[in-house]
Structure formats: C-alpha cells, structure tokens
Amino acid sequence: MTLPGSPFLAYRGPDLYLDDVRLGDLAEQHGTPLYVYSRRAMLAALAPYQRALQGRPHLICYAVKANSNLAVLQTFAQAGCGFDIVSAGELARVLAAGGSASKVVFSGVGKTRAEMATALKAGVKCFNVESTAELDVLSEVASGLGLTAHISLRVNPDVDAGTHPYISTGLKGNKFGVAHEEAVATYRRAASLPGIQVTGIDCHIGSQITEIAPYLDALDRVLDLVEAIEAAGTPVHHLDLGGGLGITYTNETPPGADQLIAELLKKIDARGHGHREVMFEPGRSLVGNAGVLLTEVMFLKPGAQKNFCVVDAAMNDLMRPALYEAYMEIVNTEQRSEVATVWDIVGPVCESGDWLGRERKLAVKPGDVLAVLSAGAYGMTMASNYNTRGRGAELMVDGAKVSLIRERETIADLYRHEKLLPSA
Ligand code: LLP
C-alpha cells in the first residue's frame, strides 16, 4: 500500500514507521491519542521553497497557526525561516522558540491595540494590515509609542482558489483584506499617516490550493496594483504572496513548491518586478504530511446499517473531519492479514459529527493502534478540551531519536483556572 505524502512514513514488514521509529512502540510508551511529527519530513518540505528562492531576496514565513509547538517553530527558526503570526500569543511562541521578531509578519483582521503595541516593541518586520480602520488604529498606537509600523496592505484579489468555502479567503465576499478597487486610495492614506511606513503588499487567497492558476491570477492582480500604487507615488518594496499550497491527503496532486514558485518568479520577472523581495507564508505544506495522530481502537460495534470502530481520539483532538468533512487517510500501524471490513472510525465525544473517517476498509482488532495521516497541520493547534478531554502528547522524531515536545494534559490541568462560587 502506498501512503500519501511523506516518504518518511512507510511500512517495514507489517509495521508502520515514521523515520526510523516504529509507531506502535511510541503508542505503547507514551499512550494515545498521540501526535508524532518527523523533523526530517518538515525540513524536506521546506527544501523546495528554499531551493526555488535561492539567489534572490526572500523570506519564508512559516504560518505558525498550522502547528505552533515550540519544537516545530525552533526547527524552522534554525532553518532560517521567518514566521507569519496572527496573535500576540503566536509572537510569544516564536520568541520562546528562538525565532527573531525581525523576520515576523503579523497577519489577521482583528489585531488588538495591545497586540499591536507588543509587536511594535518586539520589532516585527511587517504588519499585514487588512482594513482602513486597522490602519488608523495602528498609526495611533505606533505614534503614541514613538515607533514606526512597517506595513503592507493585504489586498483581496477576488480570485477563486477553488478550495473549501471555509478556507477560501481571496473572494470579494470574504472578510479578508482590502478590496482591489480601494487599494490605491488606502495606500495613499497609509503613506500620509504618522507612525506608518509602507514596505510591501500582501495577499493570501486560501488554503489547500492544488493548482497554480489561481496563484498566477492573484499575482497578476497584485502586480497591477503595485504598478498603480507606485505610479501614485508610494514605493512598494516587497511582495508577500501568502501561503495556501495544498498537500496530498488522498489523491490530490498539488504542484511542488519549487514548481509553483518557479512559475510565480517567471511572471514577476517578465513583468519587471524581479528586484523585489518575495515572501511566502506556507503552513500546511511544511508540516501537514510530516505528522500523524495515533489512536487506539477501543471497541468494535458492527451493526445492521453501519459498522463503528470506536477509537480513543475524537473531534476535540482532530477537528478537521468534523468541521470540514475533511478526508484524512487512516491506516493500521500493524498491518493485519485478516479480511478488511468497512468501518466508520468514530471517537468517544457525544456528537454524531464526531468521526475521523467514514466507510474505511480496514482490518482491525481492539487494541490496535491506528494512524490518522497528514495530521501535522491544523491538528493539535485546533484541538480543544470538549467533553473535558485532555489534549494528547506530542513527539518529534528525527531518525531513530524521539523527543517528547509536549506532555499530555492531566485532568487537573483542565480546570485549574476555574473557581467555585463563594459559599453563602
Ligand atoms: N497566511 C495567512 C494570512 C493565512 O490566513 C493562512 C492560513 C496561512 C498563511 C497559511 O496557509 P496554509 O499554507 O497553511 O494553507 N484550519 C484549516 C486551514 C485554515 C487556514 C487559515 N489560514 C484546515 O484545517 O484546513
């Protein structure tokens, strides 16, 4: 059987390995649910971005929201990456992991004044500003502190990324960015405000994009704007083309990052913008296929209409199937020779939406450890404590080396901040 995504994940005999580590052993030693990531797979996913951008001014800003574990951020910081953040919390993580604020871009439609001040004092490279209202507040906060906010406007190029509506962000009806038609005027305003220094332009059209065409369309629209903005007297230094490159969950065939970037650079050069610093904000494509979620089979419930395989991971551990009806491959970490049956793989949470996979053909027995694949992105970062379930542990493997990078939450952790009412 071929597994999607990562060459670092493979069967050796009947046993599934990530790097040189047998996943069944990790489940036994650390318990389940358990997230396991491969450091090598992350660096291998970064390599084509770095190769394609070599020799020109660039910055790859890993989108922290995809997987914000400190060890993951440390891995990318050591590899020379910057970071795309959306909160002061993510900034704190980047700094705690050894990242540099001077390589951070701060995105998001709702930055608070306090977050702006924290980011200004830390010295972030750029604020990706999403509205005139935000621009005005940022100007106030920066000038109040006697500091300068370097900004790009996130423009909304109105292109359809052809992806799930919840993760498509570049269309007019989305809450994101400044409308194309208003961009030139908003740049003019930005250039006149105290405490604001225009440095770039930014767009991000969506996530899990599996084609090059929407990127090229967006780029054309962005370059049109850059030309109009500069003609109106405001120089634009860098182009930030966002993240969004998809991965293979099952049979998707996204372009490689090197192929995507080569085509984008070709257009940038052909249109005479080759001198600009180019930035990207990849999240999923750097970590998605570098991680799995391990879960133990608890009970099998064969039924008249459906067969349910109840596992110990649930929608609180991995929300993507419940939220987006996302398909994520599920395999047994120890291949069985018995005949496979069709199962719905469900968790213990009290909702019918709590499933990890539907109608999956698997040979399973209680006690088996299943691996949900491609779970390195938007897995742990979207996990919650619903049903008062502690979040699982996280491990990083590197060859045969295993590091615990986040301890499993205890039950006491879950209500540590809660208080009983004073007794009457
Ligand atoms: N930059 C900005 C401004 C973003 O909003 C995002 C993701 C990224 C970069 C990184 O995009 P990526 O390369 O990971 O596609 N929870 C959803 C995905 C939400 C993406 C939100 N924004 C999922 O599980 O599919």
Side-chain angles (χ1 to χ4, degrees):
M1 152 180 212
T2 55
L3 298 171
S6 177
F8 298 85
L9 185 71
Y11 282 101
R12 297 188 190 171
D15 298 318
L16 188 61
Y17 279 71
L18 184 61
D19 284 18
D20 297 322
V21 184
R22 187 177 169 271
L23 289 173
D25 292 341
L26 295 182
E28 204 172 302
Q29 290 153 13
H30 297 271
T32 49
L34 180 68
Y35 276 99
V36 189
Y37 314 120
S38 157
R39 186 167 183 276
R40 291 182 183 182
M42 292 183 186
L43 293 174
L46 176 64
Y49 278 95
Q50 292 178 319
R51 259 197 321 268
L53 288 162
Q54 216 168 29
R56 77 166 68 208
H58 72 271
L59 187 61
I60 301 162
C61 292
Y62 167 64
V64 173
K65 64 169 82 70
N67 186 328
S68 59
N69 185 288
L70 294 187
V72 172
L73 303 182
Q74 177 189 31
T75 297
F76 289 118
Q78 285 171 352
C81 288
F83 297 92
D84 168 55
I85 62 161
V86 291
S87 68
E90 287 190 348
L91 176 58
R93 281 182 179 275
V94 166
L95 300 177
S100 151
S102 64
K103 291 185 178 179
V104 165
V105 297
F106 191 174
S107 301
V109 289
K111 307 172 189 79
T112 65
R113 282 172 188 266
E115 286 179 319
M116 290 174 183
T118 303
L120 278 162
K121 288 183 205 155
V124 299
K125 178 180 170 75
C126 187
F127 289 83
N128 290 342
V129 172
E130 302 224 11
S131 64
T132 315
E134 181 192 337
L135 193 58
D136 292 347
V137 171
L138 183 59
S139 164
E140 242 175 74
V141 174
S143 38
L145 290 169
L147 295 169
T148 302
H150 294 92
I151 67 123
S152 71
L153 287 185
R154 175 169 176 182
V155 295
N156 189 335
D158 195 24
V159 300
D160 187 354
T163 183
H164 189 287
Y166 280 17
I167 53 178
S168 185
T169 50
L171 279 167
K172 260 190 186 155
N174 293 130
K175 69 178 174 184
F176 298 101
V178 174
H180 192 84
E181 307 75 57
E182 290 159 26
V184 175
T186 314
Y187 265 100
R188 199 175 304 122
R189 181 183 183 84
S192 74
L193 287 173
I196 298 285
Q197 169 78 51
V198 170
T199 54
I201 191 162
D202 159 51
C203 81
H204 171 79
I205 56 174
S207 199
Q208 185 53 19
I209 302 169
T210 53
E211 286 163 56
I212 294 182
Y215 279 102
L216 291 173
D217 290 349
L219 176 60
D220 262 325
R221 308 267 291 164
V222 168
L223 294 180
D224 290 346
L225 278 179
V226 170
E227 287 161 14
I229 294 157
E230 291 203 326
T234 312
V236 175
H237 171 68
H238 73 247
L239 296 174
D240 178 345
L241 300 175
L245 180 59
I247 61 170
T248 303
Y249 284 99
T250 168
N251 50 18
E252 304 90 336
T253 51
D258 38 3
Q259 192 192 348
L260 169 67
I261 292 175
E263 297 228 10
L264 290 169
L265 294 181
K266 202 161 72 185
K267 188 181 277 294
I268 290 172
D269 292 345
R271 289 195 52 177
H273 292 264
H275 56 290
R276 298 186 193 285
E277 180 179 12
V278 183
M279 291 159 59
F280 289 93
E281 302 169 357
R284 188 190 321 261
S285 55
L286 295 185
V287 292
N289 277 329
V292 298
L293 171 63
L294 300 183
T295 180
E296 185 178 322
V297 176
M298 297 193 295
F299 310 112
L300 296 179
K301 280 182 70 178
Q305 285 192 2
K306 280 209 169 252
N307 299 321
F308 291 104
C309 168
V310 184
V311 297
D312 66 359
M315 63 190 283
N316 74 294
D317 300 294
L318 180 64
M319 206 174 170
R320 302 192 68 258
L323 189 58
Y324 314 116
E325 301 201 355
Y327 184 99
M328 301 178 71
E329 208 62 73
I330 301 175
V331 299
N332 202 326
T333 58
E334 195 175 337
Q335 276 181 319
R336 298 197 160 275
S337 49
E338 289 90 344
V339 180
T341 312
V342 175
W343 301 97
D344 274 17
I345 317 290
V346 301
V349 161
C350 311
E351 300 215 19
S352 296
D354 179 32
W355 53 273
L356 298 177
R358 284 173 168 162
E359 304 193 353
R360 303 301 177 87
K361 212 165 168 203
L362 276 176
V364 278
K365 287 219 164 65
D368 282 359
V369 175
L370 304 185
V372 185
L373 308 188
S374 315
Y378 305 109
M380 188 56 150
T381 48
M382 293 174 74
S384 77
N385 294 123
Y386 189 37
N387 279 209
T388 306
R389 290 167 50 84
R391 284 170 295 179
E394 293 179 291
L395 304 178
M396 182 81 88
V397 301
D398 187 356
K401 202 167 91 197
V402 179
S403 309
L404 177 66
I405 59 170
R406 180 185 168 119
E407 285 175 23
R408 185 175 300 285
E409 275 173 338
T410 65
I411 291 174
D413 288 336
L414 302 185
Y415 52 84
R416 174 178 302 153
H417 299 294
E418 297 174 38
K419 302 266 183 283
L420 292 171
L421 295 172
S423 41

